[in-house]
Amino acid sequence: MNEHFDFGPATGIGSMPGGDAREVAKTVTGTFEWPDTGMPYLPELPARGPGADMIGRTAGLLVELYARVEPSGWRLGDRPGRDTRRAVSWLGEDLDALEEFTQGYEGPLKVQAVGPWTLAAALELKNGEAALSDPGACRDLAGSLAEGLRLHLAEIQRRVPGAHIVLQLDEPSLIAVLRGQVKTASGYRTHRSVDRQLVEATLRDVIDVHTEPGAVVVHSCAPDVPFALLRRAGADAISFDFSLLTERDDDAIGEAVEGGTKLLAGVVPTTEGPLSDPAGSVMGVRTLWRRLGLHPGLLADAVTVTPSCGLAGVSPAYARRALAHCAQAARSLADNPE
């Protein structure tokens, strides 16, 4: 682990409202200007339809595995079809827009993909059950994802040569997978829980694809984020919805910070409404720091401020405000850590 990789003061999670890739890329790169206000990222625009959503986009990255849209969701098939081509096309459009607004850029640049376990919970096999139901399918999926990510990261590096690429793996279903809470196709039963060691080893295999030291984030906006498991699997940073933390998480967070793991703290709401003042948004982070007895001087280095989850469900105006608010809240945290 590289403890010195800098994720910057603020960033976004990934998804944004609207369908204009250039407009959104301009917003993101304009709001997060390295190193002052934060880390830019490759936006996702799910409002465009299937293939622009996070599952469809990641399915489009898979190597020698293909998925298509069925009424029940994304299903693995034998050959690439219209839905795969659409996913690849949307991604190409987003990369073109990002490349346009990062000419000459040097600094961290974040890209997101769905992690292996959320993907296994979301993609269906031919029989309609989740890939999660079949250990062999889970293994094949993780291997295909790892190879696809390797190619994807190389493509982004080619387009933005000065970037230090940060890989974010989205794992919102991870806790459900560990606890056996993912429903079967009938909806009446759940799939068996997956062994923690297997979950950890599979995650490690996918994380290891990214060779930039210290630059892998795992994001989960579900309660009870398994901080210790993610750190053992090799995550350099953990991204989470700060409002879902409880005091039960204190020890795991304290150990993570002391072990050099960065925290991407989701403190800015992803539902429309008035935003508090920037200092108010990070008050909880300061309170947590005091409760854990951590040195205030560590705060700005250890914490990157983000929205609590993706922003696809809000208006473009609110999304712009929320991202700008993250940068302002991060500034407040740096200026007044206590």
Side-chain angles (χ1 to χ4, degrees), residues 194-306:
V194 180
D195 178 74
R196 292 182 82 84
Q197 285 177 309
L198 177 59
V199 167
E200 186 183 316
T202 303
L203 270 170
R204 187 181 301 111
D205 289 345
V206 176
I207 285 170
D208 284 351
V209 161
H210 192 26
T211 52
E212 176 88 45
V216 177
V217 181
V218 178
H219 166 71
S220 172
C221 47
D224 300 325
V225 174
F227 287 93
L229 183 152
L230 295 177
R231 291 177 60 223
R232 287 195 306 271
D236 304 293
I238 298 171
S239 167
F240 54 94
D241 179 343
F242 192 84
S243 70
L244 298 178
L245 290 184
T246 68
E247 293 197 16
R248 286 200 313 270
D249 297 306
D250 280 8
D251 289 349
I253 289 176
E255 285 168 17
V257 172
E258 286 169 351
T261 304
K262 302 291 178 101
L263 305 179
L264 275 65
V267 297
V268 176
T270 51
T271 47
E272 298 264 354
L275 291 163
S276 72
D277 67 299
S281 293
V282 287
M283 194 163 59
V285 179
R286 292 193 188 95
T287 304
L288 171 68
W289 227 246
R290 281 198 296 273
R291 201 164 71 224
L292 296 177
L294 293 166
H295 192 282
L298 283 174
L299 197 48
D301 281 339
V303 173
T304 295
V305 175
T306 73

Side-chain angles (χ1 to χ4, degrees), residues 126-210:
K126 288 174 194 170
N127 64 4
E129 288 297 350
L132 189 64
S133 64
D134 181 334
C138 289
R139 199 165 48 244
D140 292 347
L141 199 51
S144 173
L145 174 63
E147 187 54 35
L149 284 174
R150 191 178 284 115
L151 297 170
H152 182 45
L153 295 170
E155 166 72 2
I156 294 166
Q157 195 72 73
R158 184 185 68 72
R159 286 171 175 260
V160 193
H164 302 293
I165 298 172
V166 172
L167 172 63
Q168 175 181 306
L169 293 174
D170 292 323
E171 281 285 14
S173 301
L174 186 60
I175 282 293
V177 167
L178 287 166
R179 291 182 176 169
Q181 293 169 339
V182 177
K183 283 191 162 58
T184 57
S186 70
Y188 296 122
R189 294 186 303 110
T190 55
H191 294 288
R192 285 167 50 185
S193 59
V194 180
D195 178 74
R196 292 182 82 84
Q197 285 177 309
L198 177 59
V199 167
E200 186 183 316
T202 303
L203 270 170
R204 187 181 301 111
D205 289 345
V206 176
I207 285 170
D208 284 351
V209 161
H210 192 26

